[in-house]
Amino acid sequence: MDFNPTRPVEAIVHRIRQFLDDYVIPLETDLLRSGADLRMEQLQELRAGAKAAGLWAPTMPSEWGGMGLHIEDIAPVFEAAGRSLLGPLAMGCAAPDEGNMHLLLSWANAEQVERFLLPLARGEAFSAFSMTEPPPGAGSDPRMIQSSARLEGDTWRINGHKWLTTNGEIADFFIIMARTDWEAHPYQGCTLFLAPRATPGINILRDVPVMGAKDFGGHIEVAYEDLRLPANAVLGKVGQGFMLAQARLGPARLTHCMRWTGIAQRALEIATAYASQREAFGGKLTSHQSVQWMLADSAMELKIGRLLINDAAQLLAEGQQARVETSIAKLQVSEIVCRVLDRCVQICGGRGISRDLPLSTWYEKARAFRIYDGASEVHRMVVARDVIKRYSAG
């Protein structure tokens, strides 16, 4: 298989890197050193620049202002955007909006496309995917979902308690997973609903503090209390919630891998540049075998991660579910990224743990990558079940 990007994609990657170097990374540096949070007006200014440069919404149709790229072409594009945590936000390909756009593009009806997807695709709105619940609700085991939706006449009444709903502070609408049939298995008894933020019954309790600096949009805890939605608020069909969520999560896991690979690659470049200048123990750090091996292991593991990403993306492009392959990629890349960042912090020593470099911020934020969109243990379970199915006696 040839995973090398085509010349048009190579050209796009070059333009993205230039855009990040000229506009995104300077702002990242200012925010890092000041300790300030990204402001909405700063983000909108970056987004205007991305649109002017033709770098907006890589996976959305060109007639909506997007780049119209297909999944088999986006790995190097998302990696380039991911060289800064601000890059995907600036280009309209950050989680959870990117995954929600993919979901709506595949399953929304014409009215839902007009009301929810188009504003999202144009950068005029933000969204949130509200599935994870605090104990005893659904976390790593989504079958434990406790939120309920009951049809009363032509109105759905939803009650539930969710948390870690990313983007919830700024979301203009929520995609909510709730049980609609308590007699059926959760895989057939859950449904997705589209709920505008201003709908009575959406009660935001707090932004959950998480590891590392605050993320733009937050990770909220929210109570849905007698939230009433019309019958046409259902995304897809009643009972299709898990099927739609899986259709969303497969590609979304890969795009997380792509973006974080961009961070890890830039971290490797930063650490290598530092080691090539820093002198200690009789020579440059790059002359010491202990540092050379850390650089070599990082480069090799990033290469392996890219191959896994591209393999899974190719299968998805062919219309396959690729559930095992996306699990392998998510598991391996999330752990590779954490190892690479750990080595890079170690190589840079005192500077590595300071905020003079972005490494420590990335190191803190990357830890969650091994938990969201399926914890490493869940993906190992998926792969193990496939192995047992294939090779068990009889």
Side-chain angles (χ1 to χ4, degrees):
M1 292 179 285
D2 182 8
F3 292 141
N4 291 317
T6 63
R7 286 189 176 180
V9 171
E10 285 182 336
I12 292 170
V13 168
H14 176 75
R15 287 164 48 211
I16 293 171
R17 289 182 66 121
Q18 192 68 54
F19 173 68
L20 261 67
D21 287 345
D22 291 346
Y23 300 101
V24 177
I25 292 176
L27 177 58
E28 171 200 87
T29 302
D30 290 344
L31 295 174
L32 184 69
R33 291 179 177 172
S34 68
D37 294 328
L38 177 68
R39 301 193 309 272
M40 182 64 75
E41 56 267 29
Q42 291 173 313
L43 175 58
Q44 295 302 352
E45 185 176 344
L46 287 179
R47 289 185 160 195
K51 291 175 181 178
L55 299 175
W56 175 255
T59 60
M60 288 294 100
S62 56
E63 58 266 31
W64 296 349
M67 299 172 69
L69 299 177
H70 299 290
I71 191 165
E72 64 267 33
D73 295 323
I74 65 172
V77 170
F78 274 55
E79 179 178 333
R83 287 174 62 82
S84 167
L85 294 175
L86 302 182
L89 280 168
M91 291 176 52
C93 58
D97 285 342
E98 189 276 329
N100 291 340
M101 285 191 284
H102 171 83
L103 175 65
L104 292 168
L105 186 64
S106 300
W107 297 99
N109 60 36
E111 180 182 351
Q112 292 166 343
V113 167
E114 188 70 28
R115 186 177 182 186
F116 298 105
L117 177 54
L118 284 178
L120 192 59
R122 292 170 179 157
E124 300 164 356
F126 295 92
S127 64
F129 192 81
S130 196
M131 183 170 73
T132 302
E133 300 171 343
S140 290
D141 186 352
R143 296 171 301 178
M144 297 170 65
I145 192 163
Q146 300 296 304
S147 299
S148 66
R150 185 184 304 276
L151 186 61
E152 299 176 347
D154 59 357
T155 300
W156 289 98
R157 181 162 63 91
I158 299 175
N159 285 281
H161 184 192
K162 306 286 189 179
W163 77 332
L164 297 171
T165 296
T166 301
N167 244 23
E169 284 192 319
I170 59 173
D172 294 281
F173 66 92
F174 295 79
I175 302 174
I176 304 168
M177 173 84 86
R179 291 281 291 269
T180 47
D181 185 349
W182 289 88
E183 300 299 321
H185 188 282
Y187 288 164
Q188 288 79 44
C190 290
T191 302
L192 293 181
F193 297 88
L194 290 161
R197 183 186 191 87
T199 309
I202 299 178
N203 299 315
I204 295 173
L205 305 178
R206 61 171 179 149
D207 177 34
V208 180
V210 296
M211 199 172 174
K214 178 180 171 61
D215 287 317
F216 187 80
H219 305 281
I220 67 162
E221 183 173 2
V222 55
Y224 299 113
E225 298 174 320
D226 286 332
L227 169 64
R228 296 181 182 273
L229 297 172
N232 62 5
V234 171
L235 180 60
K237 295 181 180 178
V238 174
Q240 287 187 330
F242 266 90
M243 186 267 286
L244 269 61
Q246 284 300 317
R248 177 190 184 276
L249 285 172
R253 287 175 181 136
L254 283 192
T255 54
H256 274 305
C257 293
M258 297 168 191
R259 290 184 291 256
W260 274 111
T261 297
I263 288 289
Q265 175 62 37
R266 186 170 157 222
L268 179 59
E269 294 167 14
I270 290 170
T272 306
Y274 176 82
S276 68
Q277 297 296 319
R278 179 74 164 115
E279 292 200 22
F281 302 102
K284 298 285 197 300
L285 291 185
T286 49
S287 70
H288 299 299
Q289 189 179 71
S290 59
V291 172
Q292 292 174 356
W293 284 8
M294 285 193 280
L295 298 176
D297 287 345
S298 297
M300 288 188 291
E301 290 186 336
L302 286 173
K303 176 80 168 181
I304 291 167
R306 290 186 182 100
L307 292 173
L308 292 172
I309 291 168
N310 280 295
D311 176 52
Q314 185 63 46
L315 293 175
L316 288 173
E318 293 170 359
Q320 300 186 44
Q321 280 193 329
R323 187 176 181 193
V324 172
E325 289 78 10
T326 55
S327 281
I328 292 172
K330 167 59 168 63
L331 166 64
Q332 290 295 325
V333 173
S334 65
E335 299 193 351
I336 285 169
V337 166
C338 287
R339 289 196 295 269
V340 170
L341 289 172
D342 186 77
R343 295 185 192 115
C344 292
V345 169
Q346 191 74 15
I347 290 168
C348 293
R351 289 205 70 191
I353 62 172
S354 77
R355 296 303 197 201
D356 289 347
L357 294 176
L359 298 178
S360 60
T361 297
W362 297 341
Y363 185 83
E364 292 167 350
K365 287 186 176 294
R367 184 59 183 84
F369 186 24
R370 289 159 55 190
I371 296 174
Y372 59 67
D373 274 14
S376 293
E377 292 75 17
V378 172
H379 292 298
R380 282 187 167 87
M381 181 175 64
V382 170
V383 176
R385 286 175 176 171
D386 181 66
V387 171
I388 293 166
K389 180 180 178 181
R390 289 172 181 268
Y391 305 123
S392 290

